[in-house]
Every structure is written in structure tokens, then in C-alpha cells.
Amino acid sequence: MVSYLHAADIQSIVLMAPPPVCETGRIKHNSQTSGQPITEDSVAERTNEYTQRYAAAVVQLGQELKLPAVDLWSSMQAQPDWQSFLCDGLHLTPAGNSFVYDQLQSAINQAYPDLSTNKMPFDVPDHTEVNPEDPAASFIGTCQAKVTD
């Protein structure tokens, strides 16, 4: 994938390791969705141990390719309430998405400061600049696409 992006002249690449898996959250979610009770033999279909190995491989690849890598697996688990970032032990909650955004933005700011969100121009006007009486007029001259009624 990195070779493909480089061939397409995309040089600003950030690798992202997966977040951890909360196995108890997965077991609970799977029980709720399947209707099967949780037993002492219940196991998650994904493990945090396996996810850690995948995350470590992403970080190592970043080092080998000299690309920044966001290690969500480690950085998320460094938070005392990291399980709250996962709604079902796997998928992100709004707080989890915010955490990922902050981690990614930090990596972008460090590796590619010209791509920092506070330095990039807006393609559309700020919401405070939109005329509520004639919203379409607010976009004329700022958007690439034509604004039509």
C-alpha cells in the first residue's frame, strides 16, 4: 500500500496501529447479540494479545520505512479508562474517536507540519460566515463545484 501511495506521488503518509481489544467487552457484546449466556468457557473472537502483535508490526514497519506510526494500542492502554473508548470491546465510542483524532493530529503536526489543520485553508466558508437568508451565495467563489438552486 505504501508503495502504491508513493507511486501516486503521495508522500505524506501516517501508519496507524489498531487500538486494543477489550476481550470482556467482546464477550459481553457477543452474548448480547447472540442471546447465548456468558459461561466460563466464553472467549472473545479477537484477543488483545494478537492485536498487540499486529500493532507492533505496524510500528516496526513505520520505523523500517521511516514513516510516522500512531501506536493506538499502546497509547490508548496508557489511559486509565481506555475501555471507555470502545463501545463493544472493539469499535470506538465518541470519546475513542476523539482520542484517535488527537493522536493522529499530533503525528501529522510533528511529521508534516504544513498539513496541520490550523495551517490548511478552508474549502468552504466557516459556518459563522454563512448567510442564513441566502446560504448558497455564501459559497460562491469558495467552492470548486457550482452551487445551484
Side-chain angles (χ1 to χ4, degrees):
M1 180 58 89
V2 171
S3 298
Y4 172 79
L5 293 172
H6 282 160
D9 201 30
I10 298 171
Q11 304 303 314
S12 303
I13 301 168
V14 177
L15 303 180
M16 187 174 301
V21 172
C22 178
E23 294 171 38
T24 56
R26 291 305 301 153
I27 291 169
K28 183 178 178 183
H29 172 78
N30 291 337
S31 172
Q32 290 171 341
T33 57
S34 71
Q36 298 295 317
I38 298 173
T39 68
E40 61 185 47
D41 295 328
S42 297
V43 294
E45 80 285 9
R46 296 185 172 137
T47 67
N48 201 32
E49 177 186 349
Y50 187 78
T51 305
Q52 187 277 330
R53 289 189 281 182
Y54 185 88
V58 171
V59 171
Q60 181 179 348
L61 181 63
Q63 292 168 348
E64 290 172 8
L65 299 177
K66 296 182 181 16
L67 290 172
V70 177
D71 184 0
L72 290 175
W73 190 88
S74 298
S75 61
M76 198 174 275
Q77 286 186 105
Q79 306 303 306
D81 61 342
W82 69 269
Q83 292 93 340
S84 70
F85 293 152
L86 306 169
C87 63
D88 59 3
L90 180 65
H91 299 99
L92 298 169
T93 63
N97 280 308
S98 180
F99 181 84
V100 170
Y101 172 83
D102 291 341
Q103 297 294 305
L104 178 59
Q105 198 59 53
S106 177
I108 290 170
N109 290 344
Q110 185 174 12
Y112 309 108
D114 291 343
L115 296 180
S116 175
T117 55
N118 61 355
K119 292 185 179 179
M120 295 184 76
F122 283 101
D123 291 332
V124 296
D126 186 74
H127 72 282
T128 61
E129 299 171 1
V130 175
N131 179 352
E133 302 299 321
D134 188 8
S138 303
F139 290 84
I140 295 173
T142 60
C143 295
Q144 296 295 333
K146 281 186 166 181
V147 178
T148 60
D149 293 337

